[in-house]
Amino acid sequence: MPFSAQVERWRDLVRRHAPPDLRGDAGFERIVLATLAAESAGNPQAVGDQGASVGLFQLHERGLGSGLSREQRTDPDTNASRAVPQLAEAYRRTGGDPARTYVLAINPGATPDGPQVRSVMAAYSQGAGGGPKVRMSVQAQTGGDVGD
């Protein structure tokens, strides 16, 4: 199991909300689950940004969670129904680049060398077992050493 059990348990939810052409696409699932891992560690009740962001993908009240109540944003199905299609669109636009997909879809204010992107890239690396090609990609995206 590439991700923790707490994150892997949401794989079927991700597939349900993925567009038909990306269902079962290993690269797409990997970036979505890495985003989920970095944002909430798989906890649908996770809270960030002093309470402004909640749920699996940390939907912000003035971003992807706009127009939804806090209860709706912490509902895994509702949360994923907003985040997964956004990630799919970004995945296509960036040619599958994991860091750019995350920034475009989830956190437009993040910088390539910032802590949020590093966190997603670390989860992305872990999701692949951290092979050498992934480590090089993570280093290129973050400018840092991800270790072994």
Side-chain angles (χ1 to χ4, degrees), residues 111-123:
T111 58
D113 61 344
Q116 298 95 339
V117 173
R118 283 196 306 267
S119 179
V120 170
M121 293 308 297

Side-chain angles (χ1 to χ4, degrees), residues 106-146:
I106 303 296
N107 195 346
T111 58
D113 61 344
Q116 298 95 339
V117 173
R118 283 196 306 267
S119 179
V120 170
M121 293 308 297
Y124 185 82
S125 179
Q126 182 246 333
K133 185 174 181 182
V134 171
R135 280 197 298 275
M136 289 186 324
S137 173
V138 172
Q139 288 172 345
Q141 292 295 329
T142 66
D145 182 17
V146 295

Side-chain angles (χ1 to χ4, degrees), residues 38-60:
E39 291 290 329
S40 70
N43 177 1
Q45 299 300 316
V47 177
D49 297 327
Q50 294 83 39
S53 297
V54 297
L56 290 173
F57 292 96
Q58 291 294 286
L59 299 187
H60 195 281

Side-chain angles (χ1 to χ4, degrees), residues 15 17-29 85 88-89 91-92:
R15 286 181 178 156
H17 289 286
D21 63 309
L22 291 177
R23 284 191 190 124
D25 180 300
F28 176 66
E29 286 184 8
E89 181 181 330
Y91 181 79
R92 288 186 191 106

